[in-house]
Amino acid sequence: MTIDTAPQDRQAQLDQLRAEIQACTRCMLHQTRTQAVPGEGPFDAKIMLVGEAPGYNEDKQGKPFVGASGKWLTELLALGGLQRDEVFITNIVKSRPPDNRDPLPEEITACEVWLERQLAIIQPRLIITLGRHSMGWFCGPGLKITQVHGRARRARGYVVLTMFHPAAGLHNQSLKATIEEDFSRIPRLLEVLAQQEAAAKKGEPPGEQLSLL
Ligand code: URA
């Protein structure tokens, strides 16, 4: 994918998008939220993480993943060799559902225009989905997170790594080690992606397949 827009334009586009998301009234969640949570991170992030929806703390602070799940997510990223400020973090739904209920299909549909525009500006090399709603949006129905966690595939034109939501590990201690292991394999995946990109540039076959990782 080629990026032919100047850096200052991409930052300006992301700032403009942020303002539009903050003013969004596309679904009923705008009536109960404190504020929308557009997401945060650099406009040229190579990796985008997509969670489910803001919770209590995110709704209050206007930032994604700042509660208990977020604190652990920062540690998980470090296990994967990543700093939180080098990735872009957002959610499928940008406003908090009341009582942290699951987002409704119509709320996901109303909100997807924002994610599509974030993807178009940032053009990440790797998407990490956190939980089943985000996985479903990228990969379609039918996947079971218990079967595909920690695996990468191509979907919607992106490389998508499907991960358990960090809250799952906080609620179920037996999943913690599995989630940590999944994140610790990110550097190997990035290596393979870099090799595949280099091979593609030279017109060579891709080498190691994502499905084998
Ligand atoms: N859970 C999510 O899915 N997103 C957040 O921003 C916080 C908790």
Side-chain angles (χ1 to χ4, degrees):
M1 210 179 283
T2 27
I3 299 171
D4 53 10
T5 313
Q8 62 272 33
D9 294 343
R10 289 170 71 203
Q11 184 60 63
Q13 285 171 17
L14 205 53
D15 292 344
Q16 161 71 24
L17 182 53
R18 182 178 180 79
E20 287 181 51
I21 295 171
Q22 283 166 333
C24 179
T25 56
R26 292 175 60 88
C27 79
M28 298 306 272
L29 294 179
H30 78 277
Q31 295 183 344
T32 47
R33 73 182 180 216
T34 306
Q35 59 193 312
V37 181
E40 65 182 6
F43 68 83
D44 56 354
K46 302 280 179 284
I47 300 178
M48 186 189 279
L49 280 85
V50 185
E52 181 177 316
Y56 176 86
N57 293 292
E58 291 76 21
D59 174 75
K60 290 280 173 268
Q61 295 184 38
K63 294 178 175 185
F65 282 96
V66 288
S69 294
K71 194 163 171 282
W72 192 40
L73 180 61
T74 305
E75 292 171 27
L76 288 168
L77 286 169
L79 276 180
L82 300 168
Q83 300 208 355
R84 187 175 164 123
D85 62 6
E86 69 178 299
V87 300
F88 193 89
I89 306 182
T90 189
N91 286 298
I92 284 286
V93 165
K94 315 296 194 210
S95 300
R96 182 191 182 209
D99 303 318
N100 294 346
R101 65 158 167 73
D102 281 356
L104 302 173
E106 58 266 33
E107 291 161 354
I108 293 176
T109 303
C111 218
E112 69 186 357
V113 58
W114 305 128
L115 182 60
E116 282 165 353
R117 285 176 58 189
Q118 287 174 322
L119 287 165
I121 296 167
I122 297 166
Q123 300 187 18
R125 185 178 292 160
L126 173 67
I127 311 277
I128 301 178
T129 61
L130 302 169
R132 64 197 164 88
H133 293 286
S134 173
M135 177 179 78
W137 190 83
F138 280 96
C139 305
L143 293 186
K144 282 197 166 40
I145 188 70
T146 45
Q147 287 168 4
V148 301
H149 65 89
R151 309 292 295 255
R153 68 191 61 231
R154 290 186 194 274
R156 286 197 184 233
Y158 294 95
V159 178
V160 179
L161 175 59
T162 47
M163 296 292 210
F164 279 111
H165 194 287
L170 295 180
H171 294 141
N172 177 354
Q173 285 293 314
S174 65
L175 272 184
K176 251 190 130 183
T178 305
I179 296 175
E180 286 172 352
E181 200 199 315
D182 286 347
F183 272 83
S184 69
R185 280 192 277 111
I186 290 176
R188 174 79 189 112
L189 172 62
L190 293 176
E191 242 172 57
V192 172
L193 288 180
Q195 281 163 10
Q196 289 190 348
E197 272 173 32
K201 268 193 199 142
K202 290 193 234 154
E204 291 170 359
E208 199 166 351
Q209 295 300 308
L210 293 179
S211 57
L212 299 178
L213 289 174

